[in-house]
Amino acid sequence: MAFLLSRCSKLSLRNALMKTYSDSAVRLRILPSTTCMFDEAVEIKLSGLTPQQRVELQSNLQDDRGVRFKATATYQADEKGEVDLSRHPSLGGTYTGVEPMGLFWSMRPDVPHSIVVKRDASTPLNYHIEASSGGEILAKETNERHFTGPGVRRAPVSDGRIRGTLFTPPGEGPFPAIVDLYTLGGILYEPRAALLASKGFVVLALALYGHQEMPKKLDKIDLEYFEEAVIFLQKLPEVKKTGIGIMSISKSGEIALAMASFLPNVKATVCLNGNIANVVFPLHYKDMIFPHLTAHLERITVTKSGILDIRDVLEDPMVKENRAKVIPIERASSNFLFIVSEDDRNWNSAYYAEQACNILKEHGKTNYEVVSYPKAGHFLEVPYMPHYSSGVHPAVSQVVAFGGETKVHADAQVDTWRRVQEFFRKHLQCPLKSVL
């Protein structure tokens, strides 16, 4: 009986909230549409409020692992009873000030130190947005944010040793092509590849390890595996034969530099917060072996919040005894875009990019650009993705800081995305398009 009464009470409360919501004159609009691409900004507007009324906005997301992310903000309606996130400031919550996309990039996980996981980029992420006041729900709406644009094709790849996912734009092509590498951990990461395909590139999101029947752990990196991926792309009839681009971040950065240094058909290489030397595993290519930098765990420090800071654990790659571990990028004919975050706590990516440019300059090269973001952190993701400021690092199996101030980091992600597209369009010989 007590169970039935409790259930009836919950149903009564739910019905009351539904009644309040359905009877409300408040309207929540997401413009220009409730459905959009993930890298597109939207406008959020409320109308039908009383003048000066306080209203709480909340956004919720559940990723593919079932982890929930949430952002909150408090607004005050203007004299017309309206709230426009592009004009009115948040007075408190997970962000403050005039931030049209704050309900997206300021999200925080209910499981600490979690990153948003999207395993299948052919399906959208749904952001549920709710307006309430005085504990009563006034309006709800859902923003369906897609990674694949109309006509983009997604196909699992199992070719020889190659494992990954291929994203192809609509049409016959030929299109410029990119190999998209993610970070240490070996996971197959599709969102960035899918979005790049939606901009007109054939993109292979390449798995490193731990995917399907691939080994769960590695004891070395075999560059010939990545060479096979480049050859696989070049043989596709829908791919242009003008050279391949490489997209990388973190640990995959030195793999991308090695690909550019040893594989002749790599023409454009993006390195997001990468290293100039080999790390974690020995790197093998034919009869060459690049040893990895030694990590000095005694250099680990602990932040005020009790999280490990591993930024300075690696040896300096530029000292004489470590030069054999540095990727010989002076060999490369590729163009390079080094993007670095100055508050990267994973390692000193700004220093590594500076040394890479010095090496190229010393060899008479001008094939490089550097973009630096003060106060941004290690994981520069696609626009409006929640900031991943800390998480379990595969190399130490503990939670570490990745750095970055949330708002600055969010702006850096938007700017990075624009620059990456422009760089690939310029150097892979494809027509200019508007980029976000």
Side-chain angles (χ1 to χ4, degrees):
M1 179 64 71
F3 168 77
L4 290 175
L5 288 174
S6 174
R7 184 179 180 191
C8 288
S9 296
K10 290 179 180 178
L11 288 173
S12 297
L13 177 60
R14 181 184 175 192
N15 290 337
L17 289 174
M18 290 177 64
K19 184 174 187 291
T20 303
Y21 166 51
S22 63
D23 291 347
S24 172
V26 176
R27 185 183 180 196
L28 192 159
R29 291 178 294 159
I30 299 174
L31 302 172
S33 172
T34 56
T35 301
C36 66
M37 293 298 293
F38 195 90
D39 58 350
E40 292 178 351
V42 294
E43 296 181 18
I44 298 176
K45 298 182 179 183
L46 283 169
S47 59
L49 299 164
T50 59
Q52 312 308 316
Q53 181 178 356
R54 289 248 178 168
V55 61
E56 289 74 44
L57 283 174
Q58 178 176 292
S59 60
N60 288 278
L61 160 70
Q62 182 172 300
D63 75 359
D64 286 359
R65 291 179 304 173
V67 176
R68 294 186 179 276
F69 293 75
K70 182 174 76 172
T72 59
T74 299
Y75 287 88
Q76 185 170 6
D78 62 18
E79 65 279 0
K80 297 181 181 179
E82 297 177 349
V83 170
D84 182 344
L85 271 61
S86 65
R87 295 187 295 112
H88 298 139
S90 166
L91 305 177
T94 53
Y95 67 96
T96 57
V98 179
E99 298 292 346
M101 293 296 288
L103 287 173
F104 298 84
W105 54 254
S106 75
M107 281 185 154
R108 298 171 182 171
D110 61 0
V111 177
H113 317 300
S114 294
I115 191 172
V116 173
V117 171
K118 189 77 186 81
R119 295 191 176 97
D120 181 354
S122 66
T123 59
L125 281 175
N126 294 315
Y127 288 73
H128 304 289
I129 301 173
E130 179 180 290
S132 61
S133 183
E136 295 183 350
I137 299 174
L138 303 178
K140 295 180 180 180
E141 192 55 87
T142 297
N143 185 199
E144 190 176 282
R145 303 184 67 81
H146 290 259
F147 297 97
T148 52
V152 171
R153 302 182 295 278
R154 173 186 180 271
V157 173
S158 178
D159 186 89
R161 291 192 297 170
I162 301 304
R163 298 293 181 271
T165 306
L166 184 70
F167 292 91
T168 309
E172 297 181 1
F175 305 102
I178 297 168
V179 176
D180 190 355
L181 309 174
Y182 203 54
T183 187
L184 183 65
I187 66 170
L188 181 60
Y189 182 76
E190 295 189 356
R192 188 172 61 190
L195 284 170
L196 282 170
S198 301
K199 305 299 181 183
F201 301 92
V202 173
V203 187
L204 173 61
L206 188 64
L208 177 54
Y209 62 96
H211 178 66
Q212 295 179 352
E213 80 285 2
M214 298 179 78
K216 300 300 180 185
K217 294 183 179 181
L218 290 180
D219 55 11
K220 67 175 183 176
I221 297 290
D222 183 358
L223 192 63
E224 274 130 331
Y225 172 75
F226 301 92
E227 185 173 35
E228 289 175 27
V230 171
I231 293 170
F232 168 81
L233 273 180
Q234 289 178 312
K235 289 181 177 180
L236 296 177
E238 60 266 42
V239 168
K240 295 181 74 171
K241 310 308 177 187
T242 51
I244 300 295
I246 309 295
M247 183 78 195
S248 67
I249 184 172
S250 191
K251 163 62 188 173
S252 66
E254 79 262 18
I255 296 175
L257 296 183
M259 293 172 73
S261 301
F262 293 103
L263 310 183
N265 291 309
V266 175
K267 299 301 181 186
T269 305
V270 175
C271 187
L272 298 182
N273 289 325
N275 203 319
I276 192 175
N278 187 44
V279 297
V280 185
F281 312 108
L283 175 65
H284 292 238
Y285 183 57
K286 297 183 178 178
D287 58 348
M288 292 180 287
I289 300 176
F290 289 86
H292 58 88
L293 291 176
T294 299
H296 294 274
L297 300 184
E298 68 275 10
R299 298 179 187 174
I300 295 175
T301 59
V302 181
T303 67
K304 292 180 181 179
S305 58
I307 298 172
L308 300 186
D309 187 327
I310 64 170
R311 181 179 185 269
D312 298 316
V313 302
L314 290 176
E315 296 175 309
D316 185 346
M318 303 312 296
V319 299
K320 183 178 180 181
E321 57 267 29
N322 286 330
R323 291 306 296 265
K325 303 169 186 177
V326 175
I327 307 300
I329 55 174
E330 66 275 8
R331 296 172 47 112
S333 59
S334 171
N335 291 279
F336 295 101
L337 174 59
F338 297 98
I339 297 179
V340 297
S341 299
E342 294 180 22
D343 191 37
D344 184 351
R345 306 311 302 175
N346 184 76
W347 52 29
N348 195 347
S349 54
Y351 173 72
Y352 300 143
E354 178 186 8
Q355 297 308 313
C357 295
N358 288 342
I359 291 172
L360 292 170
K361 188 184 300 184
E362 288 169 3
H363 287 81
K365 304 272 188 172
T366 59
N367 56 339
Y368 58 90
E369 308 170 44
V370 180
V371 179
S372 183
Y373 299 106
K375 300 181 181 180
H378 184 66
F379 274 92
L380 288 173
E381 298 280 4
V382 295
Y384 316 119
M385 189 68 81
H387 180 203
Y388 184 40
S389 60
S390 61
V392 177
H393 196 293
V396 295
S397 300
Q398 294 186 62
V399 173
V400 305
F402 292 126
E405 296 181 7
T406 301
K407 162 59 180 167
V408 178
H409 189 89
D411 291 342
Q413 290 187 158
V414 173
D415 191 62
T416 290
W417 187 235
R418 174 184 63 82
R419 291 178 184 273
V420 164
Q421 293 176 66
E422 290 174 349
F423 175 79
F424 280 136
R425 292 195 183 285
K426 177 181 178 181
H427 296 293
L428 297 181
Q429 301 181 29
C430 47
L432 291 175
K433 267 180 149 182
S434 62
V435 295
L436 296 171

